[in-house]
Amino acid sequence: METNNVWLVTGASKGIGLSLVKKLLASGHSVAATSRNAQSLIDAIGAPAANFLPLEVNLADNNSVLTAVEKSIAQFGHLDVVVNNAGYGQIGTLEELSDMESRENFDVNVFGTLNVIRNVMPQLRKQQKGHIFNIASIGGYHGGFPGWGIYLATKFAVAGLTESLAAEIKEFGVNATVVYPGYFRTDFLSKGSVGRPARPIEAYTAARKAEQAHINEINHQQPNDPEKAADVLIAISQEANPPVHLFLGKDAYDLVQDKQNIVNKDVEQYKNYTFSTAY
C-alpha cells in the first residue's frame, strides 16, 4: 500500500482507537474517525482538517454508517484501511441479562461491525484493494470467563464473520484480519465502556467475583500498552500478506495455548464418540 493511506476508524475517541488515530495523523495518514459524539473526537484529537474528519455515528443504524462512509469518500476520494474498533463490554451471566441487554451488545459489537463492512465494501471492491481490521478480544477465542457470556458471544461472532469475510473478499485483493487483544490499559472496564446487569442474581458467586476483579483490580492495571497495539496495526497494514488472525499481548498468547490444550484434551478423550457417528 501507499505510504500515506486513508483510514476509517470507529470508536476513535478513547482506548486503542484514539492511540491509533493520533499515530496515523502524526505519520501523515488521513483519517475519518467515528464516535457516538463528534465533540469527543475534536476534544481528544483536534479540529477537523484536510486529513482529519471527525464523524458522529450510531453504528447500530445502517443509514448513519452509510452517511459516514459517503462523507469519508467524498473528502478523501477512497479508503485504504478500515478498523472496526467500536464496542463495549457487557457483564452478566446468561440468566441475568435481559433480552434487551443482550441484543444491545450485539447491536453495537456485531451488527455495527456488519454495517460498516456492508457500506465500505463497494468502494474496496471497486478499487480492488484495502484491508479491514475487526477488533474482537481474546475473549472471542477463549470463552472461559464467568459473567461475560454475551460479550464473549459478540466477539466470537466477530471472529467467525471475519474468517468468512477474508475468504469472500480475497478475490478482490482486499484483506481482512480479526484482532484478539488481551488486556490493554484503557478505559474499557470503566463506567461508560462496560455494562453491568440491571438485575444481578447473587447466587452466581463466580461471576460476581470475576466482575469485582475486573472492575476493582484489573482496571487500569492491564499489562499491555495501547500505543504499542496501534504500532502493530499500522505495521500489519503494510504487510503484503497480512494474517487473518492477530493476537496482541502475551496474556492473549497464553490464553490461546490454554484453549488449545483444553480442546485437544476433549477431542482425544472423547474421540471414540466422535468417530462412532459414521455409517
Side-chain angles (χ1 to χ4, degrees):
M1 292 184 179
E2 299 92 348
T3 302
N4 188 346
N5 288 321
V6 177
W7 291 61
L8 171 64
V9 181
T10 70
S13 63
K14 54 189 174 182
I16 292 175
L18 177 59
S19 297
L20 176 61
V21 170
K22 287 182 174 181
K23 284 182 177 287
L24 290 169
L25 293 173
S27 299
H29 298 280
S30 296
V31 181
T34 85
S35 178
R36 290 171 293 179
N37 186 322
Q39 189 60 48
S40 66
L41 292 168
I42 295 170
D43 292 343
I45 301 167
N51 66 335
F52 174 54
L53 177 64
L55 296 163
E56 187 166 310
V57 179
N58 176 4
L59 291 174
D61 181 344
N62 185 68
N63 289 330
S64 178
V65 174
L66 173 60
T67 298
V69 171
E70 289 176 340
K71 288 181 178 179
S72 301
I73 295 172
Q75 173 150 335
F76 300 120
H78 65 283
L79 296 170
D80 294 301
V81 186
V82 177
V83 182
N84 282 303
N85 173 68
Y88 73 95
Q90 177 63 62
I91 296 174
T93 67
L94 300 180
E95 181 185 354
E96 289 173 321
L97 293 178
S98 67
D99 180 74
M100 181 179 294
E101 287 171 314
S102 301
R103 288 178 184 273
E104 285 178 347
N105 206 206
F106 270 87
D107 280 344
V108 175
N109 294 5
V110 180
F111 290 101
T113 294
L114 288 170
N115 286 340
V116 173
I117 292 169
R118 184 182 306 112
N119 288 295
V120 300
M121 273 308 302
Q123 175 65 33
L124 301 185
R125 277 194 297 107
K126 177 183 177 181
Q127 64 195 33
Q128 295 283 294
K129 66 174 183 175
H131 194 159
I132 298 174
F133 287 96
N134 293 329
I135 310 299
S137 163
I138 188 56
Y141 188 83
H142 193 313
F145 299 90
W148 288 89
I150 289 299
Y151 171 72
L152 301 180
T154 69
K155 294 306 184 178
F156 268 81
V158 168
L161 69 87
T162 306
E163 289 185 356
S164 183
L165 177 68
E168 292 169 354
I169 63 180
K170 183 177 181 180
E171 64 180 302
F172 307 120
V174 183
N175 298 305
T177 298
V178 54
V179 183
Y180 302 90
Y183 286 100
F184 277 79
R185 198 167 298 179
T186 69
D187 290 329
F188 176 74
L189 294 173
S190 301
K191 185 178 180 180
S193 295
V194 63
R196 299 167 90 166
R199 301 178 67 180
I201 300 172
E202 293 307 319
Y204 284 102
T205 56
R208 292 290 81 79
K209 288 179 181 178
E211 177 181 333
Q212 292 305 312
H214 280 82
I215 300 300
N216 298 325
E217 299 170 24
I218 298 174
N219 193 22
H220 298 306
Q221 298 299 319
Q222 296 95 326
N224 295 301
D225 184 351
E227 298 290 319
K228 294 179 180 179
D231 289 335
V232 172
L233 291 177
I234 293 170
I236 293 295
S237 76
Q238 298 168 352
E239 291 280 345
N241 296 294
V244 174
H245 303 274
L246 176 64
F247 294 89
L248 296 180
K250 184 181 182 300
D251 53 341
Y253 178 90
D254 290 343
L255 284 167
V256 169
Q257 307 309 311
D258 184 57
K259 171 66 177 284
Q260 291 176 341
N261 288 336
I262 291 169
V263 172
N264 287 337
K265 180 181 177 181
D266 287 347
V267 167
E268 291 303 318
Q269 184 173 348
Y270 296 100
K271 68 180 179 181
N272 288 339
Y273 287 107
T274 303
F275 295 164
S276 71
T277 59
Y279 281 107

